[in-house]
Amino acid sequence: MKDRNFLNTVMEFEQQLEAIQEQFNYLKQFVAHMMEEHQTLQAENLHLRARLDELQSNEAIQNEERKSDVADIGEGYDNLARLYHEGFHVCHVHFGSSRKGEDCLFCLSFLNKTT
Ligand SMILES: [Zn+2]
């Protein structure tokens, strides 16, 4: 009877070892999976950083271009204001014709809008 109990204990222990082995295998698979995912995320992060750098430098270039566009508009305005002060209409109603020394409300509102 005592031997019978001992055998049962040994068999139970074996079952426990098998269960632990199974859990350990599962854990190993989990770690392998995590390492794989970590590598994928690292590669993706690197890729996204490179893309972000690219976009940021593109944006910097575009901002430079935009600044020079604003400068162009400023220059256009200066030319129109000069033309007006030289005595010509710059409004769309009488554009290019002489103001004959009179102020034109269309021209003035146009020039004010452009600033
Ligand atoms: Zn005018």
Side-chain angles (χ1 to χ4, degrees):
M1 202 59 202
K2 223 178 179 186
D3 286 352
R4 185 87 193 141
N5 277 343
F6 183 68
L7 187 63
N8 278 344
T9 306
V10 168
M11 279 166 69
E12 268 174 35
F13 187 55
E14 190 185 21
Q15 277 176 352
Q16 281 173 1
L17 279 179
E18 277 170 9
I20 288 171
Q21 179 75 52
E22 207 176 307
Q23 280 181 356
F24 186 73
N25 281 340
Y26 177 75
L27 193 65
K28 269 200 307 194
Q29 277 176 13
F30 184 73
V31 169
H33 178 72
M34 289 302 280
M35 279 168 71
E36 213 173 288
E37 195 159 282
H38 175 75
Q39 242 171 6
T40 306
L41 286 175
Q42 229 171 10
E44 193 175 299
N45 193 5
L46 210 71
H47 175 74
L48 287 174
R49 262 180 214 284
R51 188 83 184 96
L52 185 65
D53 281 351
E54 199 180 296
L55 286 175
Q56 277 174 341
S57 61
N58 278 352
E59 198 179 6
I61 290 166
Q62 275 171 5
N63 280 341
E64 282 305 309
E65 283 168 0
R66 218 169 287 140
K67 266 183 229 155
S68 57
D69 282 354
V70 168
D72 286 351
I73 290 168
E75 204 176 302
Y77 171 77
D78 284 346
N79 286 337
L80 288 176
R82 200 177 311 129
L83 201 63
Y84 181 78
H85 287 297
E86 283 168 8
F88 297 96
H89 284 283
V90 293
C91 62
H92 64 281
V93 187
H94 309 290
F95 188 83
S97 61
S98 170
R99 288 194 287 118
K100 295 166 187 155
E102 287 172 4
D103 276 330
C104 170
L105 289 176
F106 295 120
C107 286
L108 289 174
S109 78
F110 174 71
L111 287 173
N112 281 334
K113 244 181 270 169
T114 323
T115 29

